[in-house]
Amino acid sequence: MKRMGWAAASTAVALTASGLLAPAAFAGEDQSLAPTSGPAFDATAQQLLANDDVQAVTKDTQGRVVVYTTEAEGEAKTFADSKSNVVVKHIDSPFSPKAETDVVAGAGYFSADPSAPTAAGGLCSIGFTGFTPTGDPAVITAGHCNDDGAFTASVLTVPTGDPAGGGAANNDDVSFRAPLGTLGFSQYGGPGNSAGTVGDKASVDIAAIDVTNTALNLKPEITNWSTAASGDLSLSTIAVTSVGKVQAGQVSKSGRTTGYTTGTVLELEGWAKVGDREVYGFPVESTEVMVLEGDSGGAVFQGNTAVGVVSGGDDAGTLLWAADLQAGLERTGGYTVAVEIAAPALVTPANGGEIGVGGTISGTAPAGTTVEIKPASGAAFDALTDAAGNWSFAAPDKLGTYAFSVTAKSGFSRSPSVNATVEVKAAPPVITSPGNGSIIIDQLNEFTGTGLPGATVNLTVETSDDTAAGDDAQAKLAPAAVAADGSAVVRADGTWSIPVDLGIGAYNVSATQARDGQVSAAAVIYFTIAPPAPTIDGIQDGATYSGAAVPTSVSGTGVNGAEIVVVVNQNEVARTTVQNGTWSVLLPTVLGEGAYELGAVQTVQGVSNGTYLNFTVAAVAAPGLGGTPAPGGNGGGLAVTGMGDIAPLTWGALALLLGGIGALGFRSLRRAKS
């Protein structure tokens, strides 16, 4: 390029008119601004890039023009000195195309004997990029391209010099782009480059070149040659995602001579005499020229599946013989084809989401791959995918931010890596005893549960003065006062216990656990400590009474100071208070013939517990029939007249007297209302 000097008068005038170079500022005036948008910016960039030292002109998010230059004191600095919003960045060398180091399938290469550099070599095509048995970069091609192993050194050709890229068909204009590598494996025909045998799938045509040029970037892609004029075959490609057997239907090929062509497969396998060797593979037919000299070794594929390499063809170029790729790879001792693998995805939790210690972090990846998890600190580990591509692993034990990357891999092929973070949170501890909504008799001496080993569990117990309506075990109580608190460190086996001394009452409990500087949410339960059930003495459960034996009073034992309510058939008939450990009440009426359920409900501090039993009152035997009273009577003097006549009046009076107080049941352990 022609260099331009800012000092040239005509140039300065022109640049001043265009806005690139401002007139000298008067003392005290601010410098003018360079344009950062629209046609004015475009004109500025164009004028600047006309200078040899200016390599790029951009604009940043702060409203500044950024000029990249190879000369610290060049034209860019002169321009920057005249503008207040221009930044100059110095680079060591001009920008150069990097895509010329990309290697894709279908590209051309030249092989020769390095001991005889002036001797003729072979021009062929790359079948597929791949790996050596130890995972180093390699390319797969045809075995006959290296003269039975004589041509061991290979170089890439310039696409524009290849016939498919516009070069001469006689190869007079072929030029070389970069060193490729050295021959790693080759077999043309049978083992040891023998003639091969029809019927033997070990008669193949395959070679592998170990790539020694570390500047090359091998891609699992096949060029379609549409961008050959640019010199970069990697700009338009077909991804290779698998290696498989050919299927009937359309097949494509890519090579340095005829480029990207298509044909049809009608026969799926067989052997052909390619030159003087037998080669196992399949034919591809086309109505147009699809293969000529120099295409040998090129990629043969269906969709995104690699199925063969070009082995030979007829003189017209409309019939291609492809060497079976899988059969060939089996002979190489572990060379493989590189495949493109889609990046895995994180599903649960979402990137940046939360997960509990030991919870499952999961995602998806291509089925059949292995997912490598690499933490920001610590050793990498693998997770297998299932048939649907799902993978998972347990969240780490340490709380806080867990940063990691996930990469899907198959053999030596790897997907792009996906970086992710999740917040590992402590779940609430688990209170295993007492159970939520449970009823405990008399007292509680210990809470037990599970949590994170090493975490500190802090527990608070509050009394409550009422329950929510109904028998819902999840009902929360209105807190009244703290009854107890305590803490414990979770043991190595994940268990903890905290001693308490709690008596009869209703309680709310909350427990948190803290570790690694984090505190969990609270686990909350509700439970009741009920008094022991009172006893009922003198009446036997299931007994039958008649005559003088019919009970007229009820007595038993209980908790001193507790209130006892006696119910018959779920209707209250009497109440009293336990004194000196005993209680007793008279039944208000004689029990007539029938079945009875009798209960004694004991209430302490608003919490009730009861004992219930059933008995039967039998009809009195008619005089003269020899009937005798049942044993076990209480000797009461009330006449056995039955309750049929007086029950409506008696029970109605009791209902009015007691104001409609409802029954209390042992089975539901309802607490008395205040």
Side-chain angles (χ1 to χ4, degrees):
M1 294 181 186
K2 180 181 178 181
R3 292 180 59 84
M4 298 180 64
W6 290 101
S10 60
T11 303
V13 171
L15 291 176
T16 300
S18 66
L20 286 173
L21 181 62
F26 293 100
E29 290 184 358
D30 292 335
Q31 292 179 317
S32 61
L33 300 176
T36 57
S37 63
F41 172 78
D42 297 338
T44 300
Q46 184 177 10
Q47 291 285 356
L48 286 169
L49 288 167
N51 294 274
D52 289 343
D53 63 306
V54 177
Q55 304 302 317
V57 180
T58 65
K59 50 190 175 181
D60 64 15
T61 58
Q62 302 177 43
R64 303 180 302 182
V65 175
V66 182
V67 183
Y68 291 82
T69 177
T70 54
E71 297 182 16
E73 298 297 327
E75 311 297 344
K77 184 177 184 303
T78 303
F79 175 65
D81 289 343
S82 69
K83 305 292 181 183
S84 62
N85 66 329
V86 175
V87 177
V88 176
K89 294 186 177 181
H90 181 262
I91 57 177
D92 294 332
S93 63
F95 294 106
S96 60
K98 300 302 181 184
E100 66 183 17
T101 60
D102 289 343
V103 178
V104 292
Y109 74 94
F110 174 78
S111 292
D113 184 349
S115 64
T118 59
L123 282 163
C124 279
S125 301
I126 293 173
F128 302 98
T129 60
F131 302 97
T132 69
T134 57
D136 294 321
V139 297
I140 307 300
T141 185
H144 73 263
C145 288
N146 55 75
D147 194 22
D148 286 346
F151 300 158
T152 59
S154 300
V155 294
L156 293 169
T157 58
V158 176
T160 53
D162 293 328
N170 58 10
N171 296 315
D172 289 341
D173 296 331
V174 67
S175 55
F176 305 122
R177 179 157 61 104
L180 180 58
T182 59
L183 190 65
F185 176 86
S186 180
Q187 182 179 322
Y188 173 33
N193 296 314
S194 61
T197 305
V198 174
D200 184 3
K201 294 183 180 180
S203 296
V204 296
D205 188 2
I206 197 164
I209 298 171
D210 297 344
V211 176
T212 57
N213 185 350
T214 58
L216 298 179
N217 177 33
L218 275 63
K219 294 188 170 184
E221 302 169 10
I222 307 166
T223 180
N224 63 13
W225 284 92
S226 64
T227 60
S230 70
D232 184 2
L233 295 177
S234 68
L235 295 178
S236 183
T237 59
I238 300 97
V240 178
T241 59
S242 63
V243 176
K245 297 292 289 185
V246 69
Q247 305 295 317
Q250 182 173 297
V251 174
S252 301
K253 178 235 84 216
S254 181
R256 69 173 293 275
T257 304
T258 57
Y260 173 75
T261 55
T262 59
T264 304
V265 170
L266 300 177
E267 300 92 38
L268 301 183
E269 63 176 338
W271 286 260
K273 292 185 290 185
V274 181
D276 59 349
R277 312 287 171 87
E278 298 289 347
V279 176
Y280 172 67
F282 54 90
V284 181
E285 300 179 21
S286 177
T287 58
E288 300 177 350
V289 174
M290 71 174 302
V291 60
L292 293 174
E293 290 183 355
D295 285 328
S296 288
V300 180
F301 55 101
Q302 287 184 301
N304 301 105
T305 302
V307 296
V309 295
V310 175
S311 181
D314 63 359
D315 290 342
T318 58
L319 180 62
L320 177 155
W321 186 261
D324 186 273
L325 179 60
Q326 288 185 322
L329 290 173
E330 290 177 1
R331 300 292 305 167
T332 65
Y335 283 84
T336 54
V337 169
V339 294
E340 182 176 286
I341 302 175
L346 182 65
V347 176
T348 304
N351 193 2
E354 296 182 357
I355 189 76
V357 171
T360 300
I361 299 174
S362 64
T364 58
T369 62
T370 298
V371 175
E372 180 185 75
I373 295 93
K374 187 173 183 180
S377 60
F381 57 94
D382 291 341
L384 298 178
T385 59
D386 62 17
N390 300 306
W391 55 267
S392 63
F393 66 96
D397 182 68
K398 184 174 177 59
L399 303 179
T401 301
Y402 179 59
F404 61 100
S405 66
V406 286
T407 308
K409 58 185 182 180
S410 177
F412 295 112
S413 296
R414 299 174 66 88
S415 75
S417 296
V418 175
N419 295 320
T421 60
V422 296
E423 292 297 320
V424 182
K425 297 287 188 179
V430 176
I431 302 173
T432 56
S433 178
N436 189 26
S438 64
I439 297 172
I440 299 166
I441 303 304
D442 199 28
Q443 63 181 356
L444 178 69
N445 301 118
E446 183 182 53
F447 284 93
T448 62
T450 59
L452 297 176
T456 298
V457 173
N458 293 296
L459 181 141
T460 300
V461 183
E462 296 177 332
T463 61
S464 177
D465 57 7
D466 198 6
T467 59
D471 296 326
D472 185 0
Q474 302 293 332
K476 295 182 179 180
L477 303 179
V482 174
D485 57 21
S487 64
V489 175
V490 181
R491 306 179 188 97
D493 65 357
T495 64
W496 56 268
S497 60
I498 296 175
V500 291
D501 183 13
L502 298 178
I504 296 168
Y507 299 94
N508 273 337
V509 181
S510 66
T512 62
Q513 60 179 334
R515 202 190 71 179
D516 300 334
Q518 292 195 21
V519 180
S520 75
V524 177
I525 67 166
Y526 153 75
F527 70 97
T528 301
I529 299 178
T535 67
I536 299 176
D537 301 331
I539 301 177
Q540 301 298 317
D541 188 33
T544 299
Y545 300 99
S546 63
V550 175
T552 59
S553 66
V554 184
S555 62
T557 62
V559 176
N560 279 335
E563 181 181 56
I564 300 292
V565 174
V566 176
V567 294
V568 175
N569 291 343
Q570 300 187 17
N571 293 297
E572 180 178 341
V573 297
R575 66 172 59 200
T576 188
T577 300
V578 179
Q579 296 181 1
N580 298 320
T582 63
W583 60 271
S584 177
V585 298
L586 291 174
L587 295 178
T589 187
V590 176
L591 301 179
E593 180 184 353
Y596 295 93
E597 179 189 65
L598 185 144
V601 179
Q602 177 171 249
T603 301
V604 178
Q605 296 186 22
V607 183
S608 301
N609 199 355
T611 299
Y612 288 78
L613 54 81
N614 293 275
F615 64 92
T616 302
V617 174
V620 178
L625 295 180
T628 60
N634 60 7
L638 294 177
V640 183
T641 60
M643 296 183 65
D645 296 332
I646 65 171
L649 176 60
T650 302
W651 294 123
L654 279 172
L656 292 174
L657 176 63
L658 298 176
I661 296 177
L664 298 175
F666 173 70
R667 297 172 185 82
S668 61
L669 286 173
R670 300 182 184 90
R671 288 176 290 131
K673 302 292 182 176
S674 58

